Amino acid sequence: MTSISEDSDKEKMRSVSVDLNNDASLVIDIPDALCERDKVKFTVHTKTTLSSFQKPEFSVPRQHEDFIWLHDTIVETEEYAGFIIPPAPPKPDFEGPREKMHKLGEGESSMTKEEYAKMKQELEAEYLAVFKKTVQVHEVFLQRLSSHPMFRKDRNFQIFLEYDQDLSVRRKNAKEMFGGFFKNMVKSADEVLISGVKEVDEFFEQEKNFLLDYSIKIKDATAKAEKMTRSHKIADDYNHISGALNNTAADNNTAFKKHLEKCAEVFEKLRKVEDRMASDQELKLTELLRYYTRDIQAAKDLLYRRARALADYENSNKALDKARLKGKDVAQAEENQKQCLQKFDKLSESGKKELTSFKARRVVAFRKNLIEMTELEIKHAKNSVSLLQGSIEILKSN
Amino acid sequence: MAASSERSPPPFPDLEEPELLEDSDEGADAFTGTSISEMDSPSPDTSRPPKDIFNEPPEDIFSDPLSNINSEPQKKVDAKISSPSSDEAVDLFSEPLDDDSEVMSSPEVQNPMPDLLSEPKSGVLGEPPVQKNAARQQDVFEEPPKGSSKSSSVKKAASAEMLGDDDEEEDLFKEPPKVVTRKPQPSGPPVDVFTEVKSDVKVKPQVKDDPTDLFSEEALTAPAPKPSANSSSSSRTNGVHSEEQDLFSEATVELSLDSPRNDRKKDAVKPSVSAPAAPEASSSSKAPSKTLEELEEEESEDKFDLNISVTNPEKVGDGMNAYMAYKVSTQTSLTMFRSKTFTVRRRFSDFLGLFEKLSEKHSQNGYIIPPPPEKSILGMTKVKVGKEDPSSAEFVERRRAALERYLQRVVCHPSLLQDPDVREFLEKEELPRAVSTQALSGAGFLKMLNKATDAVSKMTIKMNEQDVWFDEKIQDVENEEQHLRKLHVMVESLVNHRKELSGNTAVFAKSVAMLGSSEDNTALSRALSQLAEVEDRIEQLHQEQASNDFFTFSELLADYIRLLGAVRGCFDQRMKAWQRWQDAENMLQKKRETEAKLLWANKPDKLQQAKDEIAEWEAKVTQYERDFERISATVRKEVIRFDKEKARDFKRQIIKYLESVLHSQQQMIKYWEAFLPEAKAIA
C-alpha cells in the first residue's frame, strides 16, 4: 500500500500539537499497541535520566483504564488543583469499523471477489486510522504529564510508567460510576451557585468569560466539523461509481467500453485523493477542535476549583466574623480563614500561569494544525488537478 | 431517406423506366419505400388476365389443385401441405397441357409486378439497352418473377425443398412450347400472361447458356434480359432439352438471389452504397453489418449545421392553468429551413406532442425516437404554486436542459430531421395545441392501457431469434440499462452527499466564524474568520460541483436510461413485425388446410373463395415478411448509429464533467493558497 509512508508521515506530524518542552530527561512514547477484542493494550515506553526512576529505559503494558485511573488520581490530588490537568484520552472507539467489518462478513456472498477485497482493504485502512489516532491521543496525554514540572514528579505517574506488572486497576463499578455522575451534577450545580461570587481578580474574570464563551463555540465548531467530515462520503460515492462503471464496461464491447474503463479509473484515483483529503481534514481540523474542547474543559475545571476556593475563603471569612462576634472558636476560624486564603492565593497564582501558558499553547497548536491542513489540502487538490488533467488529455486524444 | 416524401402514385413500369435510368439510386430507394402502394395498385391489372384464363379452360378441377401446387413450389411451404398436393400433382401432370399456362400465370401474376418493381429493377437498370422494345420490357417482367417470388422466402434451407419441387416444374416445362404456340391465338388481352410463360422458358435457356453467370450471383439479373430479347424461337428448343440443368441452375439462382436481394435491401436503406459485393449467401448476414458500420462512419462525418437551444423559460398564466414557455432558437445553414436563424416559443406539451407525432409515424419503422423528459406533476405544481423557490427554479432549469438535449437528439437523427413535423416545430409561429399529452387526461389513460397491453403481448410473444446479432444486442441493451440504472443511483447519491457536505460546510463556516469572534488572540481570531471565509467559498464550490454532478453526469445517465428504453421499444417493434408475419404465415397455412379439406370434400363452389383468400394471405405474408426485414435492417442501423452517438456523447459529457471537477479543484487550490499566509501569520 502506498499510503504506508504517508501514514507514518502523519504519525510524525502529530495530530494534536501540544506545547511540550523538549526536555530529554523524561521521554515517553507508545511505540506499539495491541488490540484484543474491545481492549487495547498500549506499550508505554519511557526513556529517562531522572534519578527517581530505577532504570533509564523501560516499557510497560497499559490499558485505557489505567490512563483513566492516572487521570483521576491526578484530578483528586489536592496539590494539583491549581493546574490545568491534561484531559484524559477518550475511550478507544472501534465500533464504527468493527460494525462495518461485521456487515462485510455478512455480505461476503453477495459481492464479487474484487469488491470484497476492495471493501476489506478500505476497512482495514479505516481501522488502522482509528487505531493510530487512539494511540496518539494516549501518548499525548502522557507527554503532557511528563512535560509538566509538577506532574512529572507525581508518584502515581511514576508508578504508571515504571511498574512492570499489570496495574490491574479495577474498572469502576456501578456505584462509583453513579458517584462520578453525581459528583459531576453537584459540581455543575455548585458552579452555578458560586458563579454569583464576585470575582476579585480582573484577569480571572476576563478569563472566565472568555473560556465559557469559547467552550460553547468550540463545542459547536467541533460538532459541525465532525458532521462535515462525516458527510465527506464523496470518496465512497466515487468508489461506487467507479465500480458501477467497471461493471457497465464489462458487459460492453463497443467503443463505449474504453471510455467507461477510463472513466472508472479516473474515479478510482479521485477516490483515493478524496479519501485522503477527508481523513486529513479529520485529523488536522476535527481532532484539533476535539482536543481543545477537552482542554478547555480542563481549564474551566481549574477555574472552578479556584472559584470554589474563593467561595471557601469568603465563607471562612464569614465564619471568622461570626466566631469573633460570638467570641468562640476564634482561633480555629482564623486558622481556617488563613488556610483558605492561602489555598486561594496559590490557586490564583498557578492558575494565572497555567492559563497564560494554555493560551500560548493553544495558539501555537492552532497555527501548526491550520498550516498543516492547508498544506495538505493544497497538496491533495494539486494531485487531483494533475490527475484530472492527465485523464482529460487521454480521453480527448482517443 | 426520402422514402415517405416520394410516395407518388405508382407509374406503369414502361413509363418509369427512362426516369429510373436517370437516377438509379433514388429510384431504387423510392421503390422500396413505395413498394406497398405499388404492390396494391398494379395487381388488379395483372390479376385480371388470369381470371380470363380461368374462364377459358373449362375444367375447374384442374385449375384448382394446380394453383395449389404451384403456390407450393414457389412459396415453399412446409412438407405438411406438400404431401397431399403431390398426390394431386400426379393427376396434374398427366394432363398438364392447359394448366401449365395457369400454373405459370395465375400464381405469379399476383406478385411478380410488385416484386419486379421493387427488387430486381436495379439489375435491369444496369442494362441500358433494355428499353423501348416492348418485347424486352416483357422480358423484364417475366424473367425475374421466378427469382423474386422464390426469394420471397428468405430461408435458405428452402432451396432443398425447391429442388424437390422442381420435379413438378420439370413436368410443367416439358410442354411449354405447345402452350406458348397455342394460347396466343385464342385470346387478345392475356397476351402478357402467355408471353410470360414463354419468356420463362426463354430465361432458362439463357440461364443455361452462361452458367458462369449463374454462379457468380451478382451477374444474374443483368445478363438475363439480354439474350431473351431476340431468341424466342431458339429458346424454345433449348427449353425443351435443357430442363435438368435448369433445375439445378434454378436452385442456385434462388440462393444467389437471396443475397443480392438482402444487400439491395440495405442498399435501399442506405442509398449511397454502390453495387453490393454479392457475398455468399451464408456470409451475407455478416457482411451487411460491416458495410453498415462503414456507412455509419461516413455518415457521422457529415455533421448537420444545426444548433438548437432552449432558453428563457417563462411562466405564462396564473394558478393551475399556468405553464412554462420556452424559447426554441435555431441556427442553421441547412437549406431546408426558410432562414438561418429563427426563434419560436413552445410549451412543454408541444415537446411531448412532437414526440407523439414522431413515434406515431416512425416507431413502427424501427427508428429510435429520442424520448422527451417525463411529465412531472409534482415539480410543475410547485412551479405553478410556488413563488420564487430554489427547488422549483432547479426544476425549471433541469427541464429546460432536458428539453434542449431532447431537441438536439431529434435533429441529430438524419431521418427525423426530414420530418415535416420537426421542421414545423422549429419554424412555425403557432402550433396547434398538443392534446392527449396530459398525464391525467382520458387520452393519457388510454395510452397507459395501450402500454399495459403492449407489455402483456410482449411477454406472450416468444420469438425464436434467428439473428445472432439481434439476440446479443437485445441482451446487451438490457444489461446496459440495468448497469446504467445502478450507476445512476450511485451518481444520485453522490449528488446528495455533495449537497449534504456543502450544507455542513456552510454550517461549519458559520461556527468557525463564531469561534473566531470569541478568540482573544488577534492573529488567531483573524485566521479563524479567514478560515470561515474559505469554508464558505468551498461550500459554494461543493454546491456548484453538486449541480455539475447532476446536470452533466446524472442527467446524462437518466437520458440514456430513457434512450435505452426507446431502443428496447425498437426491438419490440421489430418483434411485433415478426409476430405479424408469423401470424400471417399461420393464417395462410390454415387457409391452405381449409382448401385441402374443401378439395377433399369436393366442394368446388367454395374453392374459389378459399383460393382467393390464399392469394390474399400469400400477398400479406410476403408483405409482412418484407416489412420485418425492413424493420430489422432499420433497427440494426439505428442501433449502430445509437451506439456511436452514445459513445461520442458519453465521452464529451465525461470530459465536460471531469473538467468541472478539475475547475473546482483548481479553485480549491486558490482558496487554500490564499489562506496559507493567514495561517502562518498566527503568532
Side-chain angles (χ1 to χ4, degrees):
Chain A
M1 229 168 40
T2 51
S3 61
I4 277 191
S5 59
E6 269 253 336
D7 284 342
S8 53
D9 266 350
K10 276 179 205 158
E11 204 174 9
K12 270 176 215 156
M13 297 188 281
R14 206 167 302 294
S15 68
V16 177
S17 146
V18 282
D19 186 24
L20 307 169
N21 58 358
N22 296 319
D23 183 4
S25 63
L26 182 61
V27 179
I28 303 168
D29 65 331
I30 302 178
D32 193 21
L34 213 89
C35 187
E36 286 172 354
R37 290 170 182 257
D38 51 349
K39 267 184 197 158
V40 183
K41 281 191 173 168
F42 303 93
T43 307
V44 178
H45 172 251
T46 313
K47 239 172 128 178
T48 183
T49 53
L50 295 181
S51 55
S52 53
F53 292 99
Q54 283 165 356
K55 278 186 274 179
E57 191 172 351
F58 38 84
S59 290
V60 288
R62 291 294 175 257
Q63 291 182 22
H64 172 70
E65 282 70 27
D66 302 332
F67 286 81
I68 299 298
W69 166 82
L70 181 61
H71 178 255
D72 287 350
T73 54
I74 290 172
V75 167
E76 278 156 21
T77 310
E78 195 74 6
E79 263 183 84
Y80 304 143
F83 304 124
I84 295 176
I85 295 157
K91 200 175 184 314
D93 183 15
F94 293 110
E95 276 313 300
R98 196 174 280 139
E99 208 172 280
K100 275 193 200 162
M101 203 71 106
H102 188 64
K103 259 189 213 155
L104 182 70
E106 279 176 342
E108 191 178 348
S109 52
S110 63
M111 270 183 280
T112 65
K113 230 179 195 169
E114 294 92 60
E115 272 177 331
Y116 181 75
K118 214 162 143 191
M119 287 277 279
K120 206 176 154 197
Q121 196 189 327
E122 248 168 67
L123 265 178
E124 278 165 359
E126 193 183 326
Y127 191 81
L128 204 70
V130 174
F131 193 78
K132 275 187 176 156
K133 214 168 73 189
T134 310
V135 170
Q136 272 179 32
V137 170
H138 285 78
E139 205 178 49
V140 162
F141 172 67
L142 294 182
Q143 282 167 347
R144 271 197 58 190
L145 288 178
S146 75
S147 65
H148 196 279
M150 288 301 291
F151 296 137
R152 70 191 302 178
K153 290 180 203 140
D154 183 72
R155 184 73 207 126
N156 284 323
F157 182 46
Q158 294 201 352
I159 290 171
F160 177 90
L161 293 176
E162 212 173 11
Y163 185 61
D164 63 351
Q165 302 294 306
D166 263 352
L167 277 179
S168 64
V169 193
R170 257 183 327 114
R171 275 167 167 265
K172 284 181 184 168
N173 61 29
K175 197 181 156 200
E176 277 170 326
M177 291 279 268
F178 182 75
F181 179 68
F182 186 70
K183 224 165 75 187
N184 269 337
M185 287 274 288
V186 169
K187 193 183 123 197
S188 316
D190 200 34
E191 242 168 340
V192 176
L193 271 178
I194 60 173
S195 67
V197 177
K198 202 174 175 299
E199 185 56 71
V200 285
D201 192 327
E202 206 182 309
F203 172 81
F204 281 103
E205 176 68 30
Q206 212 181 340
E207 206 56 26
K208 192 179 90 183
N209 290 337
F210 165 70
L211 280 179
L212 278 176
D213 182 37
Y214 203 76
S215 127
I216 294 166
K217 300 281 165 60
I218 203 168
K219 251 186 206 158
D220 183 59
T222 309
K224 300 291 153 58
E226 271 173 1
K227 210 172 157 194
M228 183 174 76
T229 33
R230 250 206 317 275
S231 68
H232 221 291
K233 295 176 202 145
I234 291 182
D236 277 0
D237 292 317
Y238 280 167
N239 186 23
H240 289 141
I241 288 169
S242 163
L245 279 168
N246 267 328
N247 283 343
T248 316
D251 274 6
N252 212 299
N253 38 26
T254 51
F256 199 34
K257 189 187 179 85
K258 266 190 301 180
H259 303 329
L260 290 175
E261 277 170 348
K262 185 69 212 155
C263 197
E265 199 187 312
V266 175
F267 274 111
E268 173 63 25
K269 284 180 186 160
L270 275 181
R271 176 191 76 84
K272 280 188 185 146
V273 177
E274 200 72 39
D275 232 359
R276 276 186 207 157
M277 211 183 252
S279 74
D280 284 343
Q281 205 177 48
E282 150 90 18
L283 212 60
K284 295 292 167 200
L285 190 62
T286 319
E287 227 7 56
L288 170 84
L289 291 172
R290 244 183 237 145
Y291 189 82
Y292 276 94
T293 311
R294 288 202 307 269
D295 217 7
I296 278 172
Q297 189 55 49
K300 264 170 73 192
D301 285 348
L302 167 68
L303 282 184
Y304 162 69
R305 287 192 298 265
R306 187 186 152 275
R308 182 71 259 170
L310 177 63
D312 284 349
Y313 168 62
E314 270 172 13
N315 285 342
S316 69
N317 266 345
K318 276 177 201 157
L320 181 61
D321 286 349
K322 238 183 216 166
R324 279 194 181 132
L325 215 66
K326 286 178 184 167
K328 203 165 71 180
D329 300 332
V330 175
Q332 200 190 337
E334 260 177 359
E335 183 60 26
N336 191 20
Q337 190 250 11
K338 218 171 118 190
Q339 263 179 19
C340 279
L341 180 64
Q342 228 172 24
K343 189 184 167 195
F344 173 69
D345 284 343
K346 203 182 136 202
L347 274 181
S348 292
E349 189 195 347
S350 68
K352 210 173 239 173
K353 240 184 357 206
E354 282 280 306
L355 284 171
T356 317
S357 83
F358 165 76
K359 198 171 273 178
R361 196 172 66 226
R362 195 185 70 236
V363 171
V364 170
F366 266 80
R367 177 177 193 268
K368 184 167 174 277
N369 271 32
L370 285 180
I371 289 173
E372 276 172 10
M373 184 187 76
T374 309
E375 277 167 351
L376 284 169
E377 291 272 4
I378 292 169
K379 185 183 128 197
H380 292 316
K382 276 186 175 158
N383 270 349
S384 41
V385 161
S386 68
L387 167 75
L388 283 162
Q389 271 168 344
S391 307
I392 290 170
E393 281 309 305
I394 292 170
L395 266 175
K396 271 183 178 163
S397 66
N398 70 44
Chain B
M1 257 179 307
S4 52
S5 56
E6 286 192 32
R7 188 176 299 224
S8 49
F12 268 125
D14 21 344
L15 294 171
E16 203 168 19
E17 234 119 60
E19 185 191 303
L20 284 172
L21 264 175
E22 286 163 24
D23 191 348
S24 59
D25 272 1
E26 268 186 28
D29 199 11
F31 277 118
T32 37
T34 55
S35 65
I36 300 161
S37 58
E38 280 184 56
M39 203 175 223
D40 296 339
S41 49
S43 58
D45 299 335
T46 40
S47 58
R48 220 173 291 130
K51 265 174 197 152
D52 294 337
I53 296 163
F54 277 114
N55 296 339
E56 276 161 54
E59 311 89 344
D60 279 337
I61 310 133
F62 281 142
S63 60
D64 288 340
L66 249 182
S67 63
N68 191 9
I69 288 159
N70 226 305
S71 59
E72 267 154 30
Q74 251 131 4
K75 289 264 114 198
K76 276 142 272 138
V77 191
D78 351 338
K80 218 202 234 168
I81 292 190
S82 68
S83 56
S85 64
S86 60
D87 293 337
E88 287 149 347
V90 178
D91 296 335
L92 254 179
F93 297 138
S94 55
E95 272 147 320
L97 263 181
D98 288 6
D99 312 326
D100 276 354
S101 63
E102 285 165 33
V103 167
M104 298 316 293
S105 58
S106 67
E108 279 172 12
V109 165
Q110 294 285 350
N111 290 343
M113 287 285 278
D115 282 342
L116 242 185
L117 292 173
S118 58
E119 280 134 27
K121 259 284 139 72
S122 62
V124 174
L125 293 169
E127 225 17 37
V130 179
Q131 304 72 34
K132 284 161 198 159
N133 190 326
R136 286 188 188 191
Q137 274 179 358
Q138 280 168 359
D139 286 337
V140 172
F141 299 121
E142 288 142 13
E143 179 272 322
K146 264 269 131 86
S148 57
S149 60
K150 273 164 203 156
S151 62
S152 63
S153 70
V154 208
K155 294 164 198 154
K156 280 128 208 166
S159 63
E161 278 174 50
M162 195 50 207
L163 275 172
D165 295 336
D166 286 340
D167 291 335
E168 287 140 19
E169 278 184 55
E170 188 182 341
D171 290 325
L172 301 178
F173 295 135
K174 264 180 188 160
E175 255 80 25
K178 273 183 216 160
V179 178
V180 172
T181 42
R182 239 181 357 135
K183 282 284 154 85
Q185 289 133 8
S187 60
V191 172
D192 283 354
V193 179
F194 298 116
T195 39
E196 250 177 8
V197 178
K198 210 205 282 172
S199 63
D200 254 330
V201 181
K202 272 184 257 162
V203 172
K204 246 135 240 167
Q206 164 263 317
V207 159
K208 184 214 144 200
D209 282 346
D210 17 26
T212 44
D213 279 346
L214 257 181
F215 295 104
S216 66
E217 297 119 29
E218 197 191 353
L220 173 77
T221 42
K226 226 191 287 169
S228 56
N230 50 6
S231 62
S232 62
S233 58
S234 66
S235 66
R236 246 178 253 160
T237 48
N238 272 342
V240 176
H241 58 73
S242 64
E243 307 112 358
E244 295 221 348
Q245 190 105 28
D246 285 349
L247 293 176
F248 294 110
S249 58
E250 254 179 59
T252 29
V253 167
E254 203 228 337
L255 265 178
S256 56
L257 268 174
D258 256 355
S259 52
R261 204 180 81 97
N262 282 346
D263 282 359
R264 213 167 295 131
K265 197 132 245 184
K266 274 141 209 158
D267 229 0
V269 168
K270 192 64 233 183
S272 62
V273 151
S274 48
E280 282 181 51
S282 56
S283 66
S284 66
S285 62
K286 235 187 198 172
S289 75
K290 259 183 217 153
T291 49
L292 271 175
E293 270 169 55
E294 284 159 23
L295 284 172
E296 264 316 310
E297 215 74 70
E298 285 165 33
E299 194 182 60
S300 63
E301 270 152 35
D302 52 41
K303 278 254 169 234
F304 305 110
D305 177 29
L306 189 61
N307 278 321
I308 292 190
S309 56
V310 177
T311 49
N312 289 14
E314 217 172 68
K315 197 164 141 186
V316 178
D318 274 314
M320 284 318 281
N321 285 325
Y323 63 88
M324 296 301 294
Y326 303 85
K327 200 166 111 187
V328 180
S329 321
T330 315
Q331 228 186 349
T332 181
S333 63
L334 291 183
T335 48
M336 57 181 279
F337 293 101
R338 277 197 293 267
S339 52
K340 282 204 184 327
T341 51
F342 39 89
T343 306
V344 289
R345 286 204 81 78
R346 295 282 178 258
R347 54 183 293 182
F348 182 64
S349 55
D350 294 334
F351 288 84
L352 291 189
L354 175 66
F355 171 72
E356 294 288 326
K357 280 184 205 159
L358 290 178
S359 50
E360 219 168 87
K361 266 189 274 182
H362 298 294
S363 71
Q364 79 264 28
N365 293 333
Y367 287 139
I368 299 170
I369 298 163
E374 282 101 359
K375 274 225 146 204
S376 164
I377 296 170
L378 183 76
M380 200 51 211
T381 312
K382 253 184 165 175
V383 171
K384 281 170 180 172
V385 176
K387 305 275 178 286
E388 289 299 314
D389 181 12
S391 81
S392 72
E394 193 186 300
F395 169 78
V396 169
E397 167 56 17
R398 178 184 176 182
R399 176 169 273 183
R400 184 207 61 76
L403 288 174
E404 189 172 276
R405 289 193 306 272
Y406 157 67
L407 275 191
Q408 278 162 354
R409 288 207 172 90
V410 169
V411 297
C412 259
H413 194 295
S415 314
L416 294 183
L417 178 61
Q418 304 295 329
D419 191 282
D421 279 325
V422 174
R423 243 179 296 174
E424 200 171 70
F425 183 89
L426 295 176
E427 270 186 329
K428 209 172 167 190
E429 249 345 287
E430 288 291 318
L431 265 195
R433 176 100 164 77
V435 284
S436 80
T437 57
Q438 267 98 352
L440 287 177
S441 68
F445 181 71
L446 271 180
K447 237 191 285 168
M448 265 161 61
L449 213 66
N450 277 338
K451 268 184 194 155
T453 47
D454 267 10
V456 171
S457 69
K458 217 172 80 186
M459 273 188 278
T460 48
I461 298 177
K462 273 275 167 288
M463 182 171 183
N464 52 333
E465 188 58 73
Q466 310 247 320
D467 195 328
V468 190
W469 187 87
F470 274 106
D471 209 20
E472 282 175 1
K473 206 73 207 172
I474 290 171
Q475 201 54 45
D476 281 355
V477 166
E478 270 169 20
N479 284 343
E480 195 174 311
E481 196 180 334
Q482 270 182 4
H483 286 312
L484 285 190
R485 269 182 205 285
K486 269 187 211 153
L487 188 58
H488 187 234
V489 171
M490 305 293 180
V491 177
E492 290 276 88
S493 86
L494 171 69
V495 172
N496 289 334
H497 284 153
R498 192 140 14 215
K499 277 185 183 161
E500 198 185 315
L501 177 63
S502 158
N504 288 335
T505 308
V507 172
F508 175 67
K510 267 198 201 90
S511 189
V512 168
M514 295 294 286
L515 185 67
S517 71
S518 317
E519 176 61 58
D520 57 357
N521 181 300
T522 350
L524 182 54
S525 167
R526 193 183 136 80
L528 283 177
S529 51
Q530 289 292 325
L531 177 66
E533 244 168 68
V534 170
E535 293 288 351
D536 252 340
R537 289 204 195 111
I538 288 174
E539 181 247 317
Q540 281 299 317
L541 270 189
H542 285 320
Q543 193 80 45
E544 278 163 33
Q545 192 52 50
S547 84
N548 277 324
D549 287 342
F550 182 74
F551 282 108
T552 29
F553 201 6
S554 173
E555 284 287 87
L556 170 78
L557 295 172
D559 274 7
Y560 273 93
I561 289 168
R562 269 206 302 274
L563 277 166
L564 284 175
V567 173
R568 278 195 299 134
C570 280
F571 288 138
D572 292 347
Q573 288 291 347
R574 178 177 166 269
M575 195 156 76
K576 267 194 210 154
W578 181 84
Q579 183 65 20
R580 205 158 47 224
W581 171 33
Q582 293 304 306
D583 286 347
E585 199 91 74
N586 288 339
M587 199 59 171
L588 179 61
Q589 267 214 46
K590 268 185 205 146
K591 296 286 177 204
R592 283 198 178 123
E593 275 164 26
T594 6
E595 194 205 21
K597 272 182 206 151
L598 286 172
L599 212 85
W600 199 250
N602 204 4
K603 284 183 183 158
D605 45 329
K606 285 186 185 164
L607 258 181
Q608 185 54 46
Q609 194 201 337
K611 254 180 17 177
D612 287 349
E613 275 177 352
I614 287 175
E616 183 193 325
W617 280 101
E618 271 170 359
K620 275 189 187 162
V621 166
T622 326
Q623 188 199 322
Y624 289 159
E625 188 189 358
R626 202 170 301 133
D627 284 351
F628 172 68
E629 268 163 32
R630 196 169 40 228
I631 200 174
S632 297
T634 315
V635 169
R636 198 176 174 123
K637 182 177 158 270
E638 283 280 291
V639 170
I640 289 168
R641 198 186 83 91
F642 172 77
D643 277 345
K644 277 253 154 64
E645 196 85 349
K646 182 178 65 183
R648 213 169 30 217
D649 210 13
F650 256 83
K651 188 177 153 186
R652 203 174 46 227
Q653 290 291 318
I654 287 296
I655 288 176
K656 198 175 156 198
Y657 175 72
L658 291 180
E659 274 169 350
S660 76
V661 180
L662 175 69
H663 175 253
S664 72
Q665 293 291 339
Q666 280 167 336
Q667 288 297 109
M668 198 90 99
I669 294 176
K670 241 166 101 190
Y671 296 156
W672 284 118
E673 273 176 350
F675 177 70
L676 193 56
E678 294 288 342
K680 282 182 175 162
I682 302 170

